[in-house]
Amino acid sequence: MGNSFAMLMDGFQTAFTPTNLMFGLLGTFLGTLVGVLPGIGPALAIGLLLPICLTVNPTSALIMFAAIYYGAMYGGSTTSILLNTPGESGSVITALEGNKMAKAGRAGAALATAAIGSFVAGTIATLLLAFGAPAMADIALTIQPAGYLSLIILAFTTVGTLLGASRVRGLVALSVGLVIGLVGADLQSGALRLTFGNMAAIDGIETVTVIVAIFALGEALYLASRHQFFNTEVIKMDGKAWMTKEDFKRSWKPWLRGTAIGFPLGVIPAGGSEVPTFLSYGVEKALSKNKDEFGKGAIEGVAGPEAANNANAAGVLVPMLALGLPTSATAAVVLVAFQSFNIQPGPMLFQTNPEIVWGLIASLFIGNTLLLVLNLPLIRFWVLLLKIPTHYLYAGITTFALLGAYALNNSTFDLQVALVIGVLGFLFRRFGVPITPLIIGAILGPLAELQFKRALQISQGDWHILIAGGFPKFIYSLLLLVIIAPLVWNFKKKFANKK
Amino acid sequence: MILDKVTKHGKSELAFAGSLFLLGIFVAWDTSKMDIPQGSSIVSPQTFPYMVAAFTSLVGLVLILDVLRGNHGTPDGDEPGDPLIPVNYETLLIVAAAIGLHVILLETAGYIIAATTCFLGVAYGFGSRKILKDFFVSLAFAIIVYFSFTKGLNINLPSGVFEGMFGNG
């Protein structure tokens, strides 16, 4: 623990140089700017800004990233409150209550409780991350390849079956992601898969291309196909983004409870920010003295879920940094950012690149603080962005997404891939298939194969090793629980309905 | 015939599920034809792809059964039971074409032309009909992006037909 603290202080020293602070500031600004735009969630925002980050040195780039991360999250909640178009599943709840508050003329209070709640949750959760991630990395060092594989399979199952309404469709998305992950040369033997003699495909498909294309191009095609363009009916905001004493009194407990719900559910792979935000909303509704206000704009319904969402985002970084396992689309992009600098997150990260990882964690604190300072006063500027006409907005998003896909390797092949994956993104949306499992499959598929092979090499080809040992047994028991519990739940519900 | 009961949307969903099943078969076929370099390790590079192929076909099959049983996916942004919004192929194709043109034009005509075309096309697909105004907005967008990337960030973008006009950008 003491060691973590000293390392964190070193991290602050890294982050607190004028240059790095400037990058942090720039990241906060850009992150919010892109995150505020309707239709852009945090994962896409980071993906789009990746080429820009790659032009500076790794430390500054990752600091900029941390700032973009929180900036994009915050920008997203602003859009949800004022426009009722949640850019990602974690903001759905915020849109639910926050938009009602805004319509009732309380936009300022909703924005303030979201901002301050995000700050409180982000700060506490980042602190937990700073101590939790190295501890988890220490444990992870002892995990064998078979155990690692069991963790990946657990992540696959939770992300695939807990997201969205239909479990089959989650697994469909996962399987397509796994196929995407297969493309290219096999890491160990160099055997070519699904390349069809295309030289550019040998290195595999870029994850950023997948993310940018499936979110940006997929969404643009989908909205065009519905010919249903939301009216940019931005709710007017009177007065400042601030809250009264009464608002504070009603908000601080939900902030803390939201943090307590969001962080742990991010650390264990529980399938993104949907579950914790819904859970927090439910808790606040149950505990509130003003139950009748829920659904009509209760401030607790914004404060709790917003805090849960932010704490969850920091929680997801724990397995991402300590195990190299991303369990949300946003964490996946951050992983890619690390990999672009040839840094591999995982148990060794804290030993091989301490200055970078602690610099990053320190920047999360700084970015979070900068956001609070910047955003409440700048809110009027962000609101202006919401008034961009939809056709220009999507024209800009599409063109910029294609630029992002191209600029990574200056490769036309990446653009062709982007087009195909964009069409896939359209089909997924049309047929109610969730997006995140595809991204997780594409990233973790190759990793699963690597661990699978390592395990079998250790055992000289004996498949029993995959379930030998206490750790894999424990994880697979958890897995059974994840699969069986919802079945029992459904059965109970059906039974109750019949009665 | 079992298909008679399936709605039009259900049929296109069946086609989607079916192509997923075929994707699995296809991956298996590609894997079977793989050139395996000499001296491969204990685990063949074919093992994992075969597992992925089997999994893909399996979930494809389960999805087919799910659709046949009348369970349809809810389109993104809709609630279960909402009336289905039909696909507007005209606008969909316009936007897809705008993206496709960007892909084709980028290395032939250069970034500025590709991005202007794409921006203009998507704006048109999204219902804007002020073509002249949109053209200038698109052009301005493309030019600003081009110069801030090539000059500001030193990220190279194809200059295409303007080769040599902007110095060594």
Side-chain angles (χ1 to χ4, degrees):
Chain A
M1 286 295 242
N3 190 31
S4 285
F5 188 75
M7 297 302 282
L8 184 59
M9 288 300 119
D10 286 349
F12 272 107
Q13 252 170 14
T14 313
F16 258 121
T17 64
T19 326
N20 285 345
L21 264 184
M22 200 201 73
F23 278 114
L25 208 63
L26 186 67
T28 316
F29 184 79
L30 285 177
T32 318
L33 183 86
V34 179
V36 158
L37 297 174
I40 300 192
L44 178 58
I46 303 176
L48 286 177
L49 293 171
L50 190 66
I52 297 175
C53 293
L54 294 184
T55 56
V56 292
N57 72 69
T59 316
S60 304
L62 287 171
I63 284 166
M64 199 163 142
F65 248 96
I68 291 173
Y69 187 62
Y70 275 139
M73 298 269 304
Y74 182 70
S77 54
T78 308
T79 320
S80 305
I81 290 168
L82 294 179
L83 208 60
N84 199 15
T85 51
E88 38 122 28
S89 54
S91 298
V92 171
I93 293 288
T94 309
L96 199 73
E97 289 297 324
N99 193 251
K100 295 266 164 55
M101 279 181 78
K103 278 184 181 150
R106 305 233 306 131
L111 287 166
T113 198
I116 302 170
S118 298
F119 170 74
V120 171
T123 306
I124 298 174
T126 309
L127 206 63
L128 294 172
L129 161 75
F131 292 101
M136 191 187 247
D138 281 345
I139 301 170
L141 279 174
T142 63
I143 298 176
Q144 297 294 310
Y148 209 90
L149 180 66
S150 69
L151 275 176
I152 297 174
I153 292 175
L154 179 68
F156 280 161
T157 317
T158 50
V159 173
T161 61
L162 290 181
L163 284 176
S166 158
R167 291 207 273 171
V168 192
R169 287 168 182 80
L171 293 176
V172 161
L174 178 67
S175 73
V176 177
L178 289 172
V179 172
I180 292 173
L182 280 182
V183 177
D186 171 38
L187 286 175
Q188 286 179 320
S189 65
L192 297 181
R193 296 157 171 181
L194 301 169
T195 55
F196 316 111
N198 195 331
M199 290 301 284
I202 292 174
D203 291 332
I205 291 176
E206 285 282 356
T207 315
V208 172
T209 308
V210 175
I211 290 172
V212 164
I214 201 136
F215 281 118
L217 305 184
E219 182 77 7
L221 288 169
Y222 181 62
L223 287 181
S225 80
R226 286 156 79 90
H227 204 44
Q228 180 200 42
F229 315 126
F230 49 80
N231 302 320
T232 30
E233 195 191 317
V234 184
I235 294 167
K236 271 211 189 113
M237 212 185 79
D238 302 318
K240 276 188 193 158
W242 198 244
M243 46 207 283
T244 60
K245 234 182 192 166
E246 170 70 14
D247 291 334
F248 256 110
K249 249 174 85 184
R250 287 178 59 180
S251 291
W252 72 271
K253 278 184 198 159
W255 290 339
L256 296 182
R257 282 194 289 259
T259 310
I261 293 169
F263 186 80
L265 284 175
V267 175
I268 59 165
S273 50
E274 210 167 49
V275 179
T277 47
F278 273 75
L279 213 59
S280 162
Y281 184 76
V283 167
E284 294 314 327
K285 196 173 175 183
L287 291 176
S288 173
K289 285 176 203 145
N290 318 303
K291 281 197 185 63
D292 49 316
E293 270 187 41
F294 275 78
K296 293 175 202 147
I299 195 163
E300 293 92 341
V302 180
E306 262 308 293
N309 193 15
N310 245 40
N312 185 258
V316 170
L317 290 181
V318 175
M320 201 285 289
L321 291 173
L323 302 172
L325 288 185
T327 52
S328 73
T330 319
V333 208
V334 181
L335 181 85
V336 174
F338 271 95
Q339 287 169 340
S340 339
F341 293 111
N342 289 321
I343 303 167
Q344 183 60 45
M348 295 303 288
L349 178 68
F350 286 85
Q351 287 160 28
T352 51
N353 298 86
E355 69 296 338
I356 284 183
V357 69
W358 287 106
L360 174 81
I361 293 175
S363 330
L364 285 173
F365 282 108
I366 297 171
N368 206 13
T369 314
L370 285 175
L371 264 180
L372 189 68
V373 178
L374 268 185
N375 276 325
L376 289 180
L378 278 182
I379 192 77
R380 285 186 188 285
F381 172 72
W382 303 130
V383 171
L384 280 182
L385 287 175
L386 297 179
K387 294 187 177 153
I388 299 174
T390 314
H391 52 270
Y392 287 151
L393 182 68
Y394 278 92
I397 292 175
T398 308
T399 313
F400 209 72
L402 288 165
L403 173 65
Y406 177 80
L408 222 50
N409 298 322
N410 279 7
S411 127
T412 319
F413 172 72
D414 284 354
L415 276 186
Q416 292 158 355
V417 170
L419 178 59
V420 173
I421 291 180
V423 173
L424 203 62
F426 159 71
L427 292 173
F428 271 33
R429 284 172 174 80
R430 180 68 183 163
F431 297 121
V433 178
I435 303 291
T436 308
L438 177 137
I439 293 166
I440 300 299
I443 286 200
L444 290 186
L447 196 62
E449 181 179 16
L450 184 72
Q451 300 296 343
F452 169 68
K453 283 183 181 164
R454 278 189 188 159
L456 287 186
Q457 266 153 15
I458 291 171
S459 72
Q460 297 291 315
D462 180 4
W463 285 56
H464 282 106
I465 191 169
L466 296 179
I467 48 162
F471 188 75
K473 282 205 177 88
F474 171 69
I475 297 293
Y476 287 123
S477 324
L478 269 182
L479 187 71
L480 275 181
L481 202 71
V482 169
I483 296 171
I484 291 171
L487 290 178
V488 174
W489 183 259
N490 276 347
F491 181 75
K492 260 190 164 170
K493 247 194 339 204
K494 266 185 198 160
F495 190 71
N497 283 344
K498 269 182 192 159
K499 266 204 301 195
Chain B
M1 173 78 182
I2 191 163
L3 277 175
D4 291 345
K5 274 188 270 171
V6 180
T7 57
K8 196 168 161 238
H9 179 64
K11 277 181 188 142
S12 47
E13 201 175 356
L14 274 181
F16 172 71
S19 44
L20 212 75
F21 176 75
L22 292 178
L23 176 69
I25 306 271
F26 179 72
V27 171
W29 171 78
D30 179 81
T31 307
S32 71
K33 291 193 16 169
M34 191 187 288
D35 281 327
I36 302 162
Q38 288 295 306
S40 277
S41 48
I42 291 171
V43 188
S44 153
Q46 290 174 307
T47 315
F48 190 75
Y50 274 133
M51 288 168 19
V52 171
F55 179 66
T56 307
S57 284
L58 181 73
V59 290
L61 212 57
V62 176
L63 186 63
I64 291 174
L65 293 176
D66 200 50
V67 176
L68 285 177
R69 278 169 53 198
N71 296 327
H72 297 292
T74 312
D76 189 48
D78 288 348
E79 292 296 323
D82 278 359
L84 192 75
I85 299 171
V87 171
N88 185 323
Y89 287 100
E90 193 191 330
T91 46
L92 175 66
L93 283 178
I94 291 171
V95 173
I99 299 171
L101 276 175
H102 189 289
V103 177
I104 297 166
L105 287 175
L106 183 64
E107 294 211 323
T108 50
Y111 182 76
I112 294 179
I113 291 176
T116 308
T117 313
C118 178
F119 194 106
L120 189 63
V122 176
Y124 187 85
F126 269 75
S128 176
R129 288 296 175 268
K130 293 174 187 152
I131 296 177
L132 195 66
K133 181 189 164 199
D134 289 355
F135 171 73
F136 285 111
V137 173
S138 310
L139 190 65
F141 178 87
I143 290 176
I144 291 169
V145 169
Y146 180 79
F147 282 106
S148 43
F149 268 69
T150 51
K151 303 287 178 191
L153 295 165
N154 279 321
I155 293 174
N156 222 4
L157 294 172
S159 49
V161 292
F162 301 114
E163 183 82 54
M165 275 173 71
F166 312 127
N168 51 357

